[in-house]
Amino acid sequence: MLGLTISANARAEISFGGFTRFIFDGEQQSLMVTLINEDPQPALVQSLLQWGDGDPNRDLPMVVNKPLLLIPAQGRASITLFYQGTGLPTDRESFLLLRVMQVPQKPKEENSMQIALQHNMKLIFRPKLPGSLEDAVEKLRWAPSQAAPGSYQARNDTPYYLTLTEVGLRDRTGIPCGNSIEHLMIAPFSSYDLIVPGCSQAAGQISYQFISDSGIAHARQRDL
């Protein structure tokens, strides 16, 4: 019977200087992203872009200048994302993913398996828009929904994507109702029906954390 060894190289060795997302300023033609190799061995990485919803049938008007890149041991290198200037809306943000995969080295031992680690980084293309992301969060509206008993609808009437975490309902005394939703993203000019598992009664408050451009969570609470 053959044994199978999982290589110790299957760990996150590529980082992004603390960034968890990238904002592409629509008034610029390119965005530089720095990749850091924290391993004592050189790292070969593959980078590609895709739509945030994973749709493979739409043309993507953006490219990566170095889809395959060798980063020195404990060093850093950069890739640049280029936008062709047309193809994305000018009245709202667009959501894409920057996928960076570390290509595993050839196994040194027989019957061993290398695991390719992949980072899926949020990329928001932001044309020149009125207001700010912080303004958009304050304009987020909640109302009872017909989707399910005890559900609520979030209405985003702004051109910004809103990322919320730890979304939970509470009764009027502040006691949590059901389980919180770990993560949700509300697209521009859209609504989202919030159904909280284990909560089927009317709530008095909703609490959540709003994620800023820098990836920092900011607590918010609203009366319903």
Side-chain angles (χ1 to χ4, degrees), residues 53 72 87 92 106 111 125 134 141 158 170 201 213 219:
D53 60 7
R92 69 192 66 194
K106 183 179 179 180
N111 304 322
F125 178 83
E134 288 71 20
R141 296 292 176 261
T158 77
R170 300 175 182 272
Q201 63 190 40
D213 284 346

Side-chain angles (χ1 to χ4, degrees), residues 76-97:
R76 60 180 61 203
S78 297
I79 58 175
T80 303
L81 315 181
F82 289 98
Y83 175 47
Q84 68 181 21
T86 59
L88 294 176
T90 58
D91 66 338
R92 69 192 66 194
E93 292 183 331
S94 297
F95 170 44
L96 303 94
L97 285 176

Side-chain angles (χ1 to χ4, degrees), residues 49 51 58-63 82-89 96:
L49 290 165
W51 293 107
R58 287 186 292 157
D59 291 336
L60 192 63
M62 198 177 290
V63 296
F82 289 98
Y83 175 47
Q84 68 181 21
T86 59
L88 294 176
L96 303 94

Side-chain angles (χ1 to χ4, degrees), residues 174-193:
I175 298 176
C177 181
N179 302 317
S180 62
I181 304 297
E182 291 187 5
H183 176 276
L184 63 89
M185 197 171 181
I186 309 174
F189 305 117
S190 73
S191 60
Y192 180 93
D193 287 315

Side-chain angles (χ1 to χ4, degrees), residues 2 12 19 29 61 67 73 80 101 103 116 136 138 150 167 180 184 189 207 219:
L2 295 178
F19 287 93
Q29 294 183 333
T80 303
M101 183 179 70
V103 180
E138 299 306 319
V167 185
S180 62
L184 63 89
F189 305 117
S207 62

